[in-house]
Amino acid sequence: DVLMLFEWNEANENTHFQPTVAHGRTWERILAYYRSVLDRTPPAPRPGDDKTVPNLVLSVRQALKLGEPYHLELLYLPDGTSEKEVTARVTLKDGTGCTLVAFPAETIPTGGLLAIDYRVPSEYLARADSVTAELETEYAGRKKTWRGFDSTRLSATPCRDYLYSHHPLRELIDPETHGIEILPSA
């Protein structure tokens, strides 16, 4: 079998496979998974992955015109780490941190590919100028709340840059486990 991918490098049209700030290495992760399926080999984590973090990708809209449904996707990509369950809960917040929508917790088996779609009528979000998702996970005995995802701008005018941005959890900086060390210059 031959897998051929075309690269136009048009980041604003979602026809690219290169890593970007808005998408991380999401496409690389997806292609690596499908390559393992085609090769009939077990999937493997990407080099440098922290295996204590679930291999989830949260995709959010960058902008939304009122009247369109607000859509998020939570994607689990199997990577051959020991099979466990991930518990995940998505909450939508406005710019002040007030909860707009809290979805029920999902239990995700890690043995296979799984996508969970969330949809909300944008009218439920109309009191906010922007919406930001938070994701709570429990994986391998560790609970964590993930923040810092792109916000979705809400507008009554036509959308611009309306495509999704993708956030692999394994590529986010975890401030609680990192520090800064300042060394004197020589």
Side-chain angles (χ1 to χ4, degrees):
D1 291 334
V2 174
L3 179 63
M4 182 181 286
L5 302 171
F6 294 95
E7 170 66 59
W8 288 280
N9 197 20
E10 295 176 13
N12 283 334
E13 293 185 9
N14 266 1
T15 57
H16 65 288
F17 294 102
Q18 297 174 339
T20 65
V21 172
H23 304 289
R25 294 184 175 274
T26 300
W27 305 125
E28 176 186 313
R29 292 174 183 284
I30 292 170
L31 291 173
Y33 169 72
Y34 279 110
R35 180 60 195 242
S36 71
V37 170
L38 289 172
D39 289 344
R40 294 178 179 84
T41 59
R46 306 308 303 145
D49 272 358
D50 178 354
K51 292 178 246 173
T52 66
V53 174
N55 198 19
L56 288 168
V57 177
L58 179 67
S59 298
V60 298
R61 293 281 301 265
Q62 293 177 340
L64 187 72
K65 182 172 62 170
L66 292 175
E68 294 180 307
Y70 181 83
H71 173 241
L72 300 109
E73 179 187 71
L74 187 59
L75 174 66
Y76 180 79
L77 291 160
D79 65 357
T81 53
S82 61
E83 291 192 26
K84 304 175 190 83
E85 288 184 338
V86 180
T87 302
R89 182 175 183 183
V90 176
T91 305
L92 303 180
K93 299 198 172 190
D94 66 13
T96 64
C98 291
T99 298
L100 298 168
V101 178
F103 295 101
E106 302 276 357
T107 301
I108 303 168
T110 60
L113 181 70
L114 179 68
I116 300 171
D117 283 322
Y118 301 94
R119 295 184 189 277
V120 177
S122 56
E123 291 77 12
Y124 291 166
L125 311 171
R127 66 182 172 103
D129 292 328
S130 67
V131 176
T132 304
E134 282 188 6
L135 176 62
E136 297 172 27
T137 60
E138 185 172 348
Y139 180 71
R142 179 178 174 215
K143 290 183 180 183
K144 171 106 178 103
T145 301
W146 301 89
R147 296 178 179 91
F149 301 112
D150 285 347
S151 293
T152 301
R153 298 180 313 275
L154 299 175
S155 171
T157 61
C159 280
R160 183 180 151 286
D161 298 330
Y162 59 89
L163 300 174
Y164 294 79
S165 59
H166 310 287
H167 305 277
L169 296 188
R170 289 185 176 174
E171 295 176 24
L172 296 177
I173 293 175
D174 188 357
E176 293 114 20
T177 61
H178 290 78
I180 297 174
E181 182 179 349
I182 299 173
L183 302 172
S185 60

